[in-house]
Amino acid sequence: MPLHRKAKPEADAIVRALLDWFAQAARNLPWRRTRDPYAIWVSEIMLQQTQVKTVIAYWERWMRELPTIQALAEAATERIHKLWEGLGYYTRVRNMQKAAQQIMAGHGGDFPKDYEAILELPGIGRYTAGAIASIAFNEPKAILDGNVIRVLTRLFGIAENPREKETNERLWRLSGELVEMAARFSPEEKGARTRTMGDEERCSHLNQALMELGALVCTPKQPKCLVCPLRSRCIAERTGKVEELPNLGPRMMTTSRRFVAFIMEKDGRFLVRQRPAGVVNAHLWEFPNIELTRANDGSNVARAARKVFGAGVKAAERLCVIKHTITRYRITTDAYRTVATRTAKLSDSAGEWRTLAQLHRLAFPSAQRRILRHISSKAGKEP
Ligand code: SF4
């Protein structure tokens, strides 16, 4: 359902209601107090897969430590990993650094204003480019993420799966038509509260209103339709289909996986290793570990220890069990204190020996970080 001329008054009203609502309901988030494209870019990448309340502290620390594109371009990889530690999906932060280096080399250190140029930067897809172009530069560019998909499918009563190409493109078009309409508003067309809004903010605010409505009102469960500014125009609400939309198809089956991690200590130092390039959580640090599978005769921890270290090592005592979920995997990691016999000779490839204080300066994936926290609290040395 493109917003044809016939539907224009309806779309006008939607845009007006969104701008009006955003003017009085928007959360006061730190990245909303700036138009610096770098700061907005950092927030958008952090907000992928992570909730706002978690991101605030990360974003503030990041902007304190790496306040400019140049600072990011020149930072050591270990430092950016450490600043990102806990946010996961570390390819994102490495791509940010590559993009910063590209901006330094190709744009004189200034974040590009042109949408196509933004889209060419590593790690920046259509959503992020649209978010930066609209929020920082007030360009009428579309955005479409999970929140916006939910709002639009419900508002326009779209029953098809938004992951399907055709429906997805339709949603991008709708999102684009709304932001373009915001750009065309004349002052007298604005709602009561938006009348004072400068022209340079309307595209920015319209897109943020869509995101904010999805985050605060049109939520996945128990949306607050009674207080929604779009209620009178919402097809899903009118037809009783709110709970059914968006139609994301059958749920992905979750798979359980089990790992065992080995905590080996010698003279106050712990054995850790750095994950190689090209694997999940590449370059991050971890305690030696292995997945228990049928193929490697899972559930036998002693055998797993031999597989990781060779002979002469045994898992002695279970220290903690860490459970976490990543995408469709429910992962359990049993961490064992591990001891080497007197004759055991660990090869250099087994890892490196670091003190607790040194470990806390390294970047670990979140489950491994929780193991480290457990060891530290047992030793009474939580930093
Ligand atoms: S009325 Fe309900 S379903 Fe419709 S957009 Fe608002 S919160 Fe979402």
Side-chain angles (χ1 to χ4, degrees), residues 174-193:
L174 283 170
S175 173
E177 288 171 20
L178 291 176
V179 75
E180 277 161 23
M181 192 155 291
R184 290 199 300 269
F185 259 180
S186 62
E188 56 279 7
E189 281 179 308
K190 294 182 207 168
R193 290 190 185 87

Side-chain angles (χ1 to χ4, degrees), residues 7-28:
K8 188 173 176 290
E10 182 75 357
D12 271 356
I14 291 169
V15 170
R16 208 178 352 255
L18 281 169
L19 289 175
D20 207 15
W21 174 80
F22 186 74
Q24 50 91 23
R27 286 170 292 181
N28 182 12

Side-chain angles (χ1 to χ4, degrees), residues 154 217-218 223 225 228 231 234 237 242:
R154 287 172 173 172
V217 178
C218 196
C225 299
C228 177
R231 188 177 178 216
C234 178
E237 154 73 1
V242 174

